[in-house]
Amino acid sequence: RFCTSNMASRRSSEKSRTGTDKYSVLLPTYNERENLPLIVWLLVKYFGESECNYEIIIIDDGSPDGTLEMADQLQKIYGSDKILLRPRAKKLGLGTAYIHGIQHATGNYIIIMDADLSHHPKFIPEFIRKQKEGNYDLVSGTRYKGDGGVYGWDLRRKLISRGANFVTQVLLRPGASDLTGSFRLYKKEVLERLVEKCVSKGYVFQMEMIVRARQLGYTIGEVPISFVDRVYGESKLGGNEIVSFLKGLLTLFATT
Amino acid sequence: MTKLAEWLFGISVVGALWGVVTFDLLGLRLPAAWQEVAWPMPVYLLVAFGCYSLATVGYRVATFNDCEEAARELQEQIQEARVDLRRKGLRF
């Protein structure tokens, strides 16, 4: 609706830049054959309803389960202007997947999200509205505020999540409530600059992105989201993740 | 200034103030009552902060939203998507 009104205002010869806004969704995938058609269907549904200009860039890292073949079918259904396939030969990590995706993105805004259905596309219109509301440099989904929340987490998982978040808030004071979430909307040039600066991997990468964003003086908006843990496939939070999280946290503590 | 430096700076300032009052480092002849209060203050502060942390994390865990409705909606939409995609010719 808000994108339509922008189109309308453009037609009334008020040459506003917002009328030409385009949103590029980056979907890094690895073995998401089951989820990919569903997430794409949902993206098309909600972008269609909001009448925003968009494209979906699928960056598959050589999944052995045929994710790419599935992406190919989806491209045939929805068209190569909406679905772009930018596969890579093997698993090369999230940071480089974003760089790779940005290079091929034609939108002036980039949305990054997980392809495993834990991030629901219904929130994207809210992200866009929020971004326009304060002309924010980035808008981050948050599980920890307002109506935000999770589904499928037991007490242990919730405790670790809240505890880690509290420690991080105390040590880094990042000015954002959800640091490890990866459902975000960025201005393209902001994402480019941040990706260049960030070196961490995994959970810590998302945290570093938002901490450095604050350090560089970018403005951050937040939208509460419900996080529905992986419907298909395994989600894990073991000792290794916790150790690497703590290492990453201390690194950021000492360097930012 | 990194966060680490900020913390070290903050701790040094507080530590210095504490030292000045507790051991009367500057020879200010502060009232004895001040010294008595200041002396165990670091432990009090630590305990208070620990309590605050536990209470905060406990409260946030207890009030962490369970998004049952979102999960149900997603399941319904998955079924809907499957039907629609099959109609559009997708082979799962």
Side-chain angles (χ1 to χ4, degrees):
Chain A
R1 269 145 271 117
F2 35 88
C3 283
T4 344
S5 63
N6 285 324
M7 297 297 274
S9 69
R10 194 171 51 144
R11 252 180 270 127
S12 66
S13 81
E14 184 192 314
K15 254 241 181 299
S16 85
R17 209 177 71 88
T18 48
T20 54
D21 282 345
K22 183 171 181 181
Y23 298 87
S24 302
V25 179
L26 301 191
L27 277 184
T29 58
Y30 188 77
N31 286 349
E32 299 287 1
R33 189 191 164 84
E34 286 273 340
N35 291 318
L36 187 64
L38 305 173
I39 190 81
V40 167
W41 187 85
L42 287 167
L43 281 166
V44 171
K45 174 181 158 74
Y46 285 97
F47 269 117
E49 285 172 10
S50 69
E51 299 187 33
C52 291
N53 209 351
Y54 72 98
E55 64 186 0
I56 302 166
I57 303 176
I58 299 169
I59 305 146
D60 186 63
D61 276 5
S63 305
D65 74 340
T67 304
L68 191 56
E69 188 269 329
M70 182 56 81
D72 214 40
Q73 287 192 56
L74 290 164
Q75 191 181 42
K76 290 202 177 74
I77 292 173
Y78 290 113
S80 51
D81 57 326
K82 291 282 178 261
I83 314 276
L84 284 69
L85 310 184
R86 297 292 178 264
R88 303 188 295 173
K90 59 176 185 235
K91 232 182 162 179
L92 294 165
L94 212 49
T96 59
Y98 291 150
I99 294 172
H100 185 74
I102 295 167
Q103 282 166 357
H104 297 284
T106 59
N108 52 334
Y109 290 96
I110 311 261
I111 293 163
I112 60 173
M113 64 191 299
D114 293 346
D116 63 4
L117 297 176
S118 54
H119 296 147
H120 199 296
K122 70 182 171 189
F123 294 110
I124 291 177
E126 289 178 40
F127 279 45
I128 295 173
R129 200 176 304 125
K130 185 77 188 179
Q131 194 282 324
K132 289 190 187 302
E133 186 185 300
N135 191 24
Y136 293 109
D137 293 312
L138 79 94
V139 175
S140 174
T142 177
R143 296 162 287 181
Y144 302 114
K145 254 191 186 172
D147 292 331
V150 292
Y151 175 81
W153 282 14
D154 57 9
L155 192 64
R156 173 182 166 275
R157 183 81 195 257
K158 283 182 178 175
L159 186 64
I160 293 172
S161 173
R162 283 298 200 182
N165 188 263
F166 180 79
V167 173
T168 312
Q169 294 292 342
V170 169
L171 290 182
L172 301 180
R173 296 190 310 277
S177 58
D178 194 339
L179 305 174
T180 49
S182 53
F183 193 2
R184 293 176 187 157
L185 181 154
Y186 295 85
K187 285 181 180 168
K188 186 182 184 184
E189 66 275 12
V190 171
L191 181 61
E192 276 172 327
R193 177 112 187 265
L194 285 173
V195 161
E196 238 169 64
K197 291 208 145 225
C198 292
V199 292
S200 325
K201 305 227 173 317
Y203 281 113
V204 183
F205 178 74
Q206 306 300 348
M207 185 158 82
E208 184 174 6
M209 294 275 275
I210 211 148
V211 169
R212 296 222 185 266
R214 188 34 65 93
Q215 192 186 19
L216 294 169
Y218 290 128
T219 52
I220 301 171
E222 291 195 300
V223 171
I225 58 160
S226 52
F227 178 93
V228 177
D229 214 348
R230 295 187 66 104
V231 180
Y232 301 103
E234 281 288 295
S235 161
K236 55 186 181 345
L237 182 66
N240 275 343
E241 274 77 23
I242 297 171
V243 170
S244 62
F245 174 82
L246 288 176
K247 271 190 201 160
L249 175 58
L250 292 178
T251 308
L252 288 177
F253 183 58
T255 58
T256 64
Chain B
M1 189 149 68
T2 66
K3 287 286 179 261
L4 176 64
E6 281 178 27
W7 273 80
L8 291 176
F9 178 72
I11 290 170
S12 321
V13 169
V14 173
L17 277 174
W18 178 77
V20 165
V21 176
T22 307
F23 303 111
D24 203 6
L25 295 179
L26 300 178
L28 297 173
R29 297 172 198 280
L30 297 165
W34 286 34
Q35 291 183 10
E36 272 166 42
V37 172
W39 165 239
M41 196 49 86
V43 179
Y44 285 156
L45 288 178
L46 269 181
V47 170
F49 178 70
C51 291
Y52 166 75
S53 303
L54 284 178
T56 305
V57 172
Y59 177 75
R60 288 177 180 174
V61 169
T63 57
F64 213 152
N65 280 337
D66 276 310
C67 305
E68 307 277 347
E69 186 48 49
R72 217 173 4 252
E73 182 195 14
L74 179 60
Q75 284 307 330
E76 283 166 18
Q77 289 183 326
I78 286 174
Q79 301 313 321
E80 203 187 323
R82 285 235 171 85
V83 172
D84 187 48
L85 284 165
R86 232 174 241 127
R87 220 186 44 230
K88 289 190 162 83
L90 188 84
R91 283 166 290 106
F92 279 93

